[in-house]
Structure formats: C-alpha cells, structure tokens
Amino acid sequence: MRRLPIYFLIDVSESMVGEPISQVEEGISTIIQALKTDPTAIETVWISIIAFAGKAKTILPLQDIISFYPPKYPIGSGTSLSNGLQHLMKELDSNVRKTTPTSKGDWKPIIFLFTDGVPTDNTDAVITEWKQRWQRSVNLVAVSFGSEANAGVLAQLTEHVLFFKNANIDSYKYFFKWVTASITTSSVNIESNGSGLELEKLDNDWLSKIDISKSAPVAQLVDDNYVVLLARCQQSSRHYLIKYRKSIGNNIWGGMNLETRSYLQVGAFPLKDDYFELSDAAAGNHKINTAELVGAPTCPCCSNQFALAQCSCGNIHCIGYEEMNTCPWCGKTSRYIVVEEGGGFDVNRTQG
C-alpha cells in the first residue's frame, strides 16, 4: 500500500504559550484517534510532527498512525520560519519514498503549517529554495491562528492560506474536525484525485480563505502582535513567560482621532527545561517600556504577588512583599521600589 505522508509543521514560539499550544496538543491527538477508526486512513496515512521556534525539531518522526503516541510540545523563543522550512525539507528528502522503475513511491505529501505570528528572520532564501525544490511536489496548507500571522509570507509558499479564528474551545474543536475530515477525504479519494488534496468545505465563521492577492510580506524581527517576557521564579529558580497581546484603541486629541497601542495581559506560564533547546541564542536584545503593558500577573511557580520585577542586572523575576529580595539570575540581594502610576521602565522582551 502506498503511503500518504502527512506533516504537521507547528509554530511553538512564545506567543503560542498557554491555551493555543494546549489546544494544538489536544487537537492533534484527537485527529489521530479519529483516523484510527478509518480503515483507509490506517492503511495509507503516515504522520510526522515538526515544531519550530528559533530552531526546529522533529517531535514525531514519520510513522503509521497505529504507532502514534501523543507527544509533548515544547515552547521556544522566536519564530524562525526559515529553520522550520529547512528542517521540513530535510525530513522530506530523507523520508518520502520516490517512484522507481520497479516500485511506486509515496503519494504527494500533505503539510499543515500552523502559525500565529510573523517570522522573526529573513525568509527570502528559504522560500526561493522551497519554490524550486518542493512547492509542486507537496500540498501545503498554511493556517494562520488568529489574524496576526504574516499572510504575505505564507502566500509565497502556497495558494492554500487559511485564517482560523481561534476564539474559543468550540472553534478549536471545529478546526481539528475539519483537518481530520480533510485528511480522511484525501486518503479515500487519492487515486482519483490528481492533486491528492481534498479540503473540506470551510465554515467562514471559524475558518476562511485569505485573499492572498492583498497580502504583502512584512519584514519583521520581533513579533509585534505580542509582548512576551522571560522571567525566573525567586523561590524555585524555574523559568516562566509573561504574555501580553496587542490592543489598538482610539483617543480623541485636539479634534483628531488617534490610534493608541497597548498590550493587555494574557497570563504567566511556567516553562519546561527544554525551552532553550528551541530558542535562538543569537537573537538580539529587544526592549519594551512597562508603561505599554496593562496588568501584572502573580508568579505561576510560587504565587509570589508580583511576577514582573526587574533586577539591576536587567533580568526579570518575581517578588513578594518582603523588603529585601534576591535575584535568581545574578544572586544579588536588593531593596526594590515600586514605579509610580503612569511611569515605566524598559525591560527585555523576547522575539515572540
């Protein structure tokens, strides 16, 4: 039986921390469980999962769906689409069977790319290579989780660029059912369908096709849709992330309607030890003034009251109500001051 390779190329950058990555983790498992009930899918579909942030990593090598065991998904710093695509092409080179004079190779692979942000690196070279080597040999479906992804870059990779309105848990359930149905239909009709891809009908309330003719690539080294801060717990020394999401408001000043930008707190999330494995150590230093940040969470590791305190060494950690606190980054013990309302100070932000 010829194989139908399915690759999930998943953005696990810091902006995915929290509910998005949890829903992806659960959704992929739901897809596989559903495929295991379909006899045709069991015989044809093979699955691989690749995660990318500042670096890329194979989370699950290409394998049949019976052998599938739900993996854990890491979080890393940055959104290097270049590294993600380079890694994907290496996997395709190594694992996709080509047709020979004596045997038929795999069916045309299907790739689902999930991303919620903008690339934090220059993608020109890798996109050129993708077009030359793989664009016509695979079916790529790029899905923007929310409206913040750079559709202009995705449009250079494929004509199938979709906008997933990840508004609530029901929308995630709908989305992963749609992916499952598209894989099942493709596997059933693959011999009669020349392209090997049959996407299910879209529900425009949750999933719609993006007009790529109106999307231009945007060069950006920091995902400006989010502000994500890397911090450490003073009590346990564990790392955690504080995540804010961009909000645009309107203010009337001098008779003019002006847009104002701020970042609203999403939450604080403890990190696993593999965070730095997928992070780009060469990323530059980027700053944000705390006056732009709305809301301050408690520490997700020890419940200290303030998760956003900055030591003179420049790093962020949590503090409680104690007069003296010790920085878990540099070990210095100091007295901390509270910034007056309306004031702010610059802190290091990740690439997001």
Side-chain angles (χ1 to χ4, degrees):
M1 197 76 177
R2 298 175 69 184
R3 305 184 307 177
L4 173 59
I6 306 289
Y7 285 84
F8 290 97
L9 181 59
I10 300 174
D11 173 358
V12 294
S13 61
E14 291 135 329
S15 55
M16 288 287 285
V17 73
E19 183 178 286
I21 198 65
S22 296
Q23 293 296 337
V24 168
E25 191 171 306
E26 184 177 335
I28 296 291
S29 295
T30 302
I31 289 171
I32 304 302
Q33 291 304 317
L35 293 177
K36 285 181 178 178
T37 65
D38 182 271
T40 304
I42 290 174
E43 289 188 349
T44 58
V45 173
W46 282 52
I47 297 286
S48 177
I49 300 174
I50 298 171
F52 71 98
K55 300 176 182 175
K57 175 183 179 182
T58 299
I59 302 297
L60 191 77
L62 190 66
Q63 60 188 251
D64 63 81
I65 56 179
I66 294 299
S67 306
F68 178 86
Y69 187 81
K72 291 295 182 183
Y73 294 77
I75 291 290
S77 181
T79 309
S80 176
L81 183 58
S82 296
N83 285 337
L85 288 172
Q86 286 285 4
H87 194 89
L88 171 64
M89 288 190 282
K90 287 181 182 176
E91 291 288 296
L92 293 169
D93 285 333
S94 301
N95 298 315
V96 175
R97 297 171 184 164
K98 296 181 179 178
T99 296
T100 69
T102 57
S103 63
K104 291 185 175 180
D106 290 330
W107 295 108
K108 201 172 184 177
I110 299 174
I111 293 130
F112 289 94
L113 165 60
F114 301 159
T115 180
D116 76 331
V118 296
T120 53
D121 57 356
N122 189 321
T123 57
D124 292 346
V126 75
I127 287 176
T128 299
E129 183 179 354
W130 174 261
K131 289 178 176 176
Q132 292 173 345
R133 297 186 56 220
W134 282 106
Q135 192 171 51
R136 295 182 179 179
S137 303
V138 302
N139 290 300
L140 172 59
V141 181
V143 183
S144 163
F145 275 40
S147 58
E148 292 86 359
N150 190 333
V153 170
L154 301 180
Q156 295 182 74
L157 300 172
T158 176
E159 61 181 304
H160 304 291
V161 182
L162 306 179
F163 166 49
F164 168 47
K165 188 178 181 182
N166 50 339
N168 51 46
I169 292 177
D170 286 340
S171 64
Y172 278 103
K173 288 180 179 177
Y174 160 78
F175 173 69
F176 287 107
K177 283 183 179 177
W178 178 87
V179 175
T180 305
S182 297
I183 294 174
T184 302
T185 305
S186 296
S187 67
V188 170
N189 299 331
I190 197 165
E191 292 199 54
S192 58
N193 182 347
S195 72
L197 176 67
E198 284 199 27
L199 297 178
E200 287 294 295
K201 184 179 178 182
L202 303 175
D203 181 335
N204 287 329
D205 287 340
W206 283 330
L207 188 63
S208 56
K209 192 164 186 176
I210 294 176
D211 183 356
I212 58 178
S213 66
K214 299 179 180 177
S215 301
V218 177
Q220 199 164 343
L221 297 179
V222 176
D223 186 349
D224 199 42
N225 298 303
Y226 299 90
V227 168
V228 184
L229 311 177
L230 174 64
R232 289 181 76 174
C233 172
Q234 184 181 182
Q235 305 300 327
S236 67
S237 289
R238 287 187 64 188
H239 293 89
Y240 59 90
L241 295 175
I242 308 174
K243 179 179 176 182
Y244 294 84
R245 185 170 188 162
K246 184 168 68 177
S247 175
I248 300 296
N250 291 298
N251 277 337
I252 303 297
W253 187 83
M256 295 184 293
N257 188 7
L258 303 177
E259 282 192 345
T260 58
R261 185 187 67 175
S262 60
Y263 291 90
L264 308 183
Q265 175 193 320
V266 175
F269 307 91
L271 287 171
K272 299 172 186 173
D273 294 337
D274 57 6
Y275 169 74
F276 294 99
E277 185 180 342
L278 284 180
S279 299
D280 181 6
N285 293 322
H286 307 280
K287 302 283 187 182
I288 184 78
N289 192 280
T290 57
E292 294 187 63
L293 308 179
V294 180
T298 58
C299 176
C301 303
C302 73
S303 298
N304 254 343
Q305 288 81 0
F306 307 102
L308 205 176
Q310 182 172 244
C311 175
S312 58
C313 72
N315 290 307
I316 299 169
H317 62 91
C318 68
I319 61 172
Y321 286 114
E322 294 79 10
E323 182 178 2
M324 304 297 289
N325 288 277
T326 301
C327 173
W329 296 89
C330 68
K332 183 178 180 181
T333 299
S334 309
R335 180 178 287 107
Y336 286 66
I337 61 171
V338 177
V339 176
E340 295 181 358
E341 185 176 355
F345 54 94
D346 289 343
V347 293
N348 295 323
R349 63 184 290 186
T350 67
Q351 286 186 294

